[in-house]
Amino acid sequence: MKQGCVSPDGKPSERAMKLLQLIHEKKGLTPEEVASLTGRPLFQVRSSLRELYEAGFLEEKEGKYFLTEKAQEFLKV
Amino acid sequence: MEEVKVVSMPRIGDPAPSFQAMTTMGPIKFPDDFKGQWVVLFSHPADFTPVCSTEFLGFAKLNQEFQKRNVQLVGLSVDSVFSHIAWAMNLKEKTGIEIPFPIIADSDGKVASLFGMLHPGESSTFTVRAVFVIDPNARIRAIIYYPLSAGRNIREILRLVDALQTADKYSVATPADWVPTPQTWEFSEENTKVIVPPPTTYEEAMERFKANYECIDWYLCKKKLS
């Protein structure tokens, strides 16, 4: 499956970096909250979050997504 | 011509087949990414073809109405994602209308086969004009098939969604020609025009602009029947 948020060399795209930044600022978000804050369709948000989760940039607890250490290193936060 | 394998087709009441695909709005996993939403999944024969273009513009114009009803539109054809993008950009350039929903690039026909969108008697290579209305529990609630030559009535698809949602909410059934409000779906002179078959050679395409047709682009020309 061709990826949209993470490049083949494992780096998040510019759009994905913005999404990670938003999740960092809000200290965790649900897909519905991301969709509401960004205006993007829910299916697209779920797809992006899944991709970033599978690439190790996000972890999920009770439906909310948080940055992993790997993501924090990328964002330098 | 390559032989098309006909698989069993999903029916009303069946769970919608699961799949993963690439779209113009990124990869999707169905039904997971659409949990809690209604989905209208519709196939079209090919990008840059006239009837399909009018349908996509029709769906785009009513997208907000579908959204109000918690419906996500999803298009599909056997073209590549690059073709879909070029076509969507062409439509935007020529008409000013943006395609606000994803279009599945089903180059290998995998999704089309799962949903029975390939009808060899009509075409061995193109998907027919199929519409699947899928509810938030990922169950197929309605199926409509149109041949390649007849464009769909997008308002009827919206009316169908209204009818299904009303039936669910109030435990009722809806009669013939039912509408949720006594609104009139008005048709204009524009709706009476027909599509001129698209040119098949470069020369024909160039000549198309000299003919007395109303053309949005070389592949999409309309005329009035005399």
Side-chain angles (χ1 to χ4, degrees):
Chain A
M1 173 67 56
K2 207 169 183 179
Q3 304 293 289
C5 280
V6 183
S7 66
D9 61 358
K11 288 181 184 161
S13 67
E14 198 178 319
R15 196 182 70 186
M17 288 292 274
K18 283 183 187 165
L19 178 54
L20 292 173
Q21 186 68 42
L22 180 69
I23 292 170
H24 169 67
E25 284 168 12
K26 299 290 180 185
K27 298 180 173 60
L29 288 170
T30 64
E32 289 77 10
E33 287 168 337
V34 174
S36 168
L37 287 166
T38 61
R40 286 168 57 200
L42 187 55
F43 81 86
Q44 198 182 30
V45 169
R46 283 176 175 150
S47 172
S48 300
L49 292 175
R50 184 178 57 253
E51 207 178 316
L52 290 167
Y53 173 85
E54 286 170 358
F57 292 105
L58 293 174
E59 54 191 3
E60 189 252 324
K61 280 177 202 158
E62 295 168 358
K64 233 173 179 169
Y65 287 84
F66 301 88
L67 263 56
T68 59
E69 279 184 24
K70 180 180 169 181
Q72 289 174 25
E73 278 172 28
F74 260 94
L75 286 181
K76 297 185 177 69
V77 290
Chain B
M1 190 64 72
E2 196 181 329
E3 196 179 322
V4 176
K5 193 180 167 195
V6 182
V7 295
S8 64
M9 291 155 68
R11 292 168 295 194
I12 291 173
D14 287 350
S18 305
F19 65 86
Q20 292 190 58
M22 192 62 194
T23 79
T24 47
M25 295 174 77
I28 57 167
K29 191 175 181 183
F30 184 89
D32 307 36
D33 291 343
F34 301 86
K35 200 172 70 182
Q37 285 185 296
W38 289 75
V39 171
V40 170
L41 172 65
F42 58 99
S43 58
H44 66 281
D47 296 347
F48 291 100
T49 52
V51 179
C52 306
S53 298
T54 60
E55 290 184 321
F56 265 61
L57 293 170
F59 274 117
K61 283 178 193 166
L62 284 183
N63 184 56
Q64 279 196 333
E65 290 298 321
F66 283 103
Q67 281 187 330
K68 279 183 203 166
R69 292 154 174 82
N70 189 28
V71 177
Q72 177 63 55
L73 295 173
V74 181
L76 176 148
S77 81
V78 292
D79 297 288
S80 70
V81 78
F82 301 110
S83 171
H84 286 335
I85 292 168
W87 183 41
M89 288 182 79
N90 179 254
L91 291 175
K92 163 83 175 153
E93 185 193 329
K94 299 292 179 184
T95 68
I97 297 170
E98 208 145 59
I99 304 301
F101 48 81
I103 315 170
I104 294 172
D106 192 31
S107 309
D108 55 5
K110 206 181 280 178
V111 182
S113 295
L114 276 175
F115 280 83
M117 293 165 168
L118 291 162
H119 295 194
E122 178 74 356
S123 168
S124 57
T125 48
F126 296 139
T127 42
V128 293
R129 302 182 194 285
V131 181
F132 286 81
V133 181
I134 301 161
D135 73 14
N137 297 316
R139 197 159 289 279
I140 295 170
R141 298 292 299 278
I143 304 172
I144 309 172
Y145 288 113
Y146 270 52
L148 270 58
S149 61
R152 285 161 282 202
N153 184 334
I154 315 302
R155 294 162 184 177
E156 166 57 15
I157 297 166
L158 191 64
R159 192 195 72 91
L160 174 59
V161 168
D162 278 333
L164 290 167
Q165 293 185 345
T166 300
D168 285 0
K169 190 173 177 183
Y170 298 102
S171 299
V172 294
T174 52
D177 301 330
W178 173 87
V179 285
T181 52
Q183 63 204 352
T184 318
W185 292 115
E186 281 182 13
F187 290 93
S188 69
E189 195 66 22
E190 186 61 29
N191 296 103
T192 66
K193 293 171 187 167
V194 295
I195 284 169
V196 186
T200 51
T201 65
Y202 177 79
E203 195 181 352
E204 281 176 22
M206 294 305 285
E207 283 170 3
R208 181 55 55 91
F209 292 108
K210 294 177 204 158
N212 193 23
Y213 300 137
E214 291 176 34
C215 294
I216 288 175
D217 208 340
W218 63 270
Y219 64 89
L220 176 48
C221 293
K222 291 181 184 175
K223 66 173 184 181
K224 285 201 77 168
L225 289 174
S226 51

